[in-house]
């Protein structure tokens, strides 16, 4: 199934899939955050995680680029609570964001979308917060869940049937990172490992033919493989996201 979302900014309502965040934080880490400009205040379709349009609109556009938290792409899809520390200007809660990009600022860990940055402000004080440009923040990792939505594998637009397949992991719930992805080669009776090309993109030249069984490891599976049978159809198409019928927790 293809992933389709509608988007707009500020005065027009935005209809996107919004993850439900489970917050359980004992400690926060001090850091700094800034923001990047975009015409619609959302994310960017050219982010380093390889998410494309999903990276613009997931979580209502409350997304972020990160520096050290990017961790060579394993940090893509992670969720964080970020709250600024400007007295009387910032809310106590801050904003929940999804990592969709890599970025470096002035000693910052977070480069937030404009909508995420202003979400940290008290009502009617967003412009005052924007004037700061960069603010002190504290952040903590949180678990993100996508209600009624399974983990999905999108065939990246650069894929070329049938000689090159690149997969992008979407709607990754929980507090976990996917560390390995393999495809079953039926004629050789063996699993073939894909390569982490960059970000959340895993690729393979000359992939197996036919309907593809896929398995992956994640930090939450304690080294066990999660098997997904027939998740990629034999006639896979670039730009289409396929439902795994499975979700991380």
């Amino acid at each position: 199934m293809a992933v389709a979302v509608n988007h707009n900014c500020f005065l027009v309502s935005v209809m996107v899939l919004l993850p439900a965040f489970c917050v359980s934080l004992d400690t926060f880490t001090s850091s700094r955050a800034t923001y990047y400009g975009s015409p619609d205040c959302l994310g960017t379709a050219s982010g380093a995680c390889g998410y494309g349009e999903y990276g613009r609109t997931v979580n209502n556009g409350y997304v972020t680029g990160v520096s050290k938290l990017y961790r060579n792409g394993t940090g893509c899809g992670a969720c964080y609570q970020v709250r600024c520390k400007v007295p009387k200007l910032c809310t106590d809660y801050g904003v929940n964001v999804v990592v969709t990009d890599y970025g470096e600022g002035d000693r910052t860990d977070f480069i937030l979308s404009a909508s995420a940055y202003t979400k940290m402000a008290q009502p009617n004080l967003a412009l005052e917060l924007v004037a700061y440009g960069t603010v002190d923040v504290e952040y903590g990792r949180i678990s993100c869940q996508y209600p009624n939505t399974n983990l999905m594998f999108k065939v990246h637009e650069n894929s070329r049937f049938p000689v090159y397949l690149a997969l992008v992991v979407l709607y990754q719930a929980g507090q976990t990172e996917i560390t390995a992805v393999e495809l079953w080669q039926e004629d050789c009776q063996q699993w073939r490992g894909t390569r982490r090309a960059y970000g959340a993109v895993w690729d393979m030249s000359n992939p197996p033919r036919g309907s593809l069984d896929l398995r992956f490891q994640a930090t939450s599976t304690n080294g066990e493989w999660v098997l997904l049978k027939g998740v990629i159809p034999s006639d896979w198409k670039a730009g289409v996201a396929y439902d795994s019928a499975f979700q991380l927790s």
Side-chain angles (χ1 to χ4, degrees), residues 142-160:
I142 59 176
S143 178
C144 54
Q145 300 176 357
Y146 296 91
N148 304 313
T149 301
N150 295 320
L151 189 71
M152 303 185 77
F153 291 85
K154 177 185 176 184
V155 177
H156 194 279
E157 286 78 2
N158 290 342
S159 298
R160 300 186 304 278

Side-chain angles (χ1 to χ4, degrees), residues 32-46:
R32 283 157 59 83
T34 186
Y35 66 95
Y36 59 87
S38 62
D40 51 14
C41 316
L42 304 180
T44 172
S46 58

Side-chain angles (χ1 to χ4, degrees), residues 7-232:
H7 59 274
N8 259 307
C9 180
F10 290 152
L11 298 181
V12 181
S13 63
V14 182
M15 299 298 295
V16 297
L17 186 61
L18 182 67
F21 293 93
C22 297
V23 181
S24 178
L25 296 174
D26 296 323
T27 60
F28 283 81
T29 300
S30 295
S31 184
R32 283 157 59 83
T34 186
Y35 66 95
Y36 59 87
S38 62
D40 51 14
C41 316
L42 304 180
T44 172
S46 58
C49 289
Y51 287 140
E53 189 66 17
Y54 169 93
R56 281 177 22 79
T57 55
V58 67
N59 192 34
N60 258 2
Y62 298 149
V63 298
T64 184
V66 293
S67 52
K68 66 184 181 184
L69 297 174
Y70 183 73
R71 299 196 304 278
N72 294 319
T74 61
C76 289
C79 299
Y80 292 91
Q81 181 185 357
V82 183
R83 54 194 191 194
C84 60
K85 298 167 65 178
V86 182
K88 300 182 180 180
L89 188 57
C90 301
T91 65
D92 292 335
Y93 189 85
V95 63
N96 294 331
V97 292
V98 179
V99 174
T100 59
D101 201 357
Y102 173 86
E104 294 183 354
D106 178 17
R107 295 178 289 114
T108 61
D109 280 315
F110 295 89
I111 302 182
L112 302 165
S113 64
S115 58
Y117 187 87
T118 56
K119 181 73 172 178
M120 297 188 296
Q122 294 280 4
N124 303 316
L125 295 179
L127 291 180
E128 285 82 349
L129 185 61
V130 167
Y132 274 77
T134 300
V135 292
D136 291 331
V137 299
E138 53 187 12
Y139 71 89
R141 180 76 183 269
I142 59 176
S143 178
C144 54
Q145 300 176 357
Y146 296 91
N148 304 313
T149 301
N150 295 320
L151 189 71
M152 303 185 77
F153 291 85
K154 177 185 176 184
V155 177
H156 194 279
E157 286 78 2
N158 290 342
S159 298
R160 300 186 304 278
F161 182 85
V163 297
Y164 174 71
L165 174 62
L167 298 172
V168 190
V169 182
L170 305 179
Y171 301 114
Q172 180 178 322
Q175 289 192 43
T176 190
E177 289 84 41
I178 291 177
T179 55
V181 177
E182 295 185 344
L183 301 177
W184 177 249
Q185 181 94 37
E186 180 65 28
D187 54 354
C188 298
Q189 291 291 292
Q190 67 179 10
W191 288 99
R192 289 178 56 193
T194 63
R195 174 188 68 130
R196 184 189 289 277
Y198 64 95
V201 182
W202 302 81
D203 71 351
M204 176 184 290
S205 296
N206 301 311
R209 302 297 178 92
S211 178
L212 297 178
D213 294 343
L214 178 153
R215 70 178 187 176
F216 68 89
Q217 285 180 323
T219 53
S220 62
T221 64
N222 297 316
E224 298 294 324
W225 290 93
V226 177
L227 174 62
L228 305 172
K229 296 185 69 68
V231 66
I232 309 297

